Amino acid sequence: MAYRYWCGECGFRTAWLGESEGERQQVEHYRRKHPGIPPGGHVEVDRKDPGGGLGCLQLVVVAVVLLALAASCRR
């Protein structure tokens, strides 16, 4: 999963990062731009698996190969 942290005081947001890196960048932003204010805002979560986009395509390819094998075994 990827996380994007938004500042509660201004329009700042981090890039899509791992949880600990995003939190670190948000804390650093507050330290530099909003001293004395505890970090706030909200966190956006991207639940998509970045490497899992070909699952359906793989299923279709396996089905086609199985159909081709079944057709070639038929007399």
Side-chain angles (χ1 to χ4, degrees), residues 6-13 29-30 33-34 41:
W6 292 75
C7 178
E9 312 303 319
C10 67
F12 171 80
R13 68 178 188 262
H29 166 77
Y30 266 82
K33 300 291 184 177
H34 312 292

Side-chain angles (χ1 to χ4, degrees), residues 42-65:
H42 68 277
V43 180
E44 219 176 330
V45 179
D46 184 10
R47 290 183 169 82
K48 292 183 283 188
D49 179 11
L54 297 176
C56 188
L57 178 61
Q58 291 171 345
L59 181 64
V60 170
V61 169
V62 168
V64 169
V65 168

